[in-house]
Amino acid sequence: MKDDEKVVKLFQGVTDVGDDLIEEAGTARKRKKITPWRGAAIAACLCLALAGTAFAASPALRDMLAEALGGFAPYAQRQEGETYVVDGMEFRVVSALADDFTVRAYIEARDLEGDRLSELELNTFGSAFGLVDIPRKDTGEGTGGFVMGGMCVGYEEETKTALLTVTSWGQVMADDLSGSEVRLFSLSGGPISGYQSLWENSEDVTFPVEVKPMPSLIADAGFASAIQAEEVRLSALGVSAIFKGDGAWHQYTGANISVKLKDGTLAEAFWEGGQGNFGTYGTESERKVLIWNFRQPVEPEQIEGVYMGEDYFPM
């Protein structure tokens, strides 16, 4: 995609954005569609409606987060952030999970004015629209792009509290990730509400988040070469493949993969729309990234081989 043809794609709640399209994604909640925007700067933090922590520290809420994190709990960064009230909804970032190309935040949301969150469809991308915005490394000329998506993974009726996840895939991280933020634009209902908007962040409030990527390994060059990738990175969270140019990455887009562990078991890694790009289109600097995420953590040292479609590649 050429620089002067940059677009934002919204499909099934997963959105592909460029670095200069983040602010436009925020205004999209008012237009119900997203159109190209050139030269937009990431908006600075605006007026924040701070409130004292009003979330009930109930066992149910703790259990909801523990269930959502599953085996990834030891890799997650607990957050000690403020509580924010925006348009009648109270928010608090409670945890974050990241590797080289995946950044995911977990946010508790409580409705102070009704029971709107009960209409969120669980475990389906699109119920939450937002991203984790991190400082990105300067990759030279051209504009990088990445994908973002969000969903509701739990709801407690007694406290009217939902647990949301917002994920960004494909950002090239800077060395210093201080200043990272969760940008939550809107929440939308499921089939019962006709997928109508339930809440919109009219104040453009952002929520600070601490991001600390987990360790990763670079797979052996033989495997990368076999799938025509320049480099493959493995972490407990997933598999990220970096492709040079605009060619071979297409054959794996949309496909799930499985890894074979040394004990003979298989672990699936799902493609949820995760991809990114950086460098200058049509030049030696152009790169594409595909990202697959595990449902439960996999230690990279235990991976013996990878199934991509029907093809098996030993490590």
Side-chain angles (χ1 to χ4, degrees), residues 218-235:
I218 296 178
D220 63 77
F223 169 56
S225 177
I227 66 171
Q228 302 180 60
E230 183 177 56
E231 181 178 289
V232 176
R233 301 182 188 179
L234 308 171
S235 77

Side-chain angles (χ1 to χ4, degrees), residues 114-228:
D115 199 15
R116 290 168 290 179
L117 295 174
S118 65
E119 299 183 45
L120 294 175
E121 187 174 9
L122 294 178
N123 300 311
T124 301
F125 281 110
S127 53
F129 178 32
L131 72 151
V132 185
D133 187 16
I134 61 172
R136 286 173 290 280
K137 185 173 293 184
D138 183 2
T139 57
E141 296 181 7
T143 301
F146 60 97
V147 167
M148 63 185 186
M151 67 174 74
C152 175
V153 296
Y155 180 72
E156 187 193 35
E157 184 176 356
E158 182 179 354
T159 61
K160 299 181 180 180
T161 302
L163 181 64
L164 314 173
T165 64
V166 173
T167 306
S168 297
W169 296 273
Q171 297 179 89
V172 182
M173 298 182 178
D175 295 330
D176 182 4
L177 295 177
S178 57
S180 297
E181 298 173 323
V182 172
R183 299 175 64 85
L184 186 63
F185 302 122
S186 63
L187 302 174
S188 299
I192 296 177
S193 70
Y195 301 98
Q196 293 182 350
S197 176
L198 304 175
W199 170 87
E200 295 183 347
N201 189 350
S202 63
E203 301 176 49
D204 288 325
V205 176
T206 59
F207 315 134
V209 60
E210 180 183 354
V211 176
K212 183 179 179 182
M214 65 181 66
S216 64
L217 296 177
I218 296 178
D220 63 77
F223 169 56
S225 177
I227 66 171
Q228 302 180 60

Side-chain angles (χ1 to χ4, degrees), residues 29 102 141 143 145 182 191 194 243 252:
R29 68 188 187 279
T102 299
E141 296 181 7
T143 301
V182 172
F243 296 86
Y252 300 115

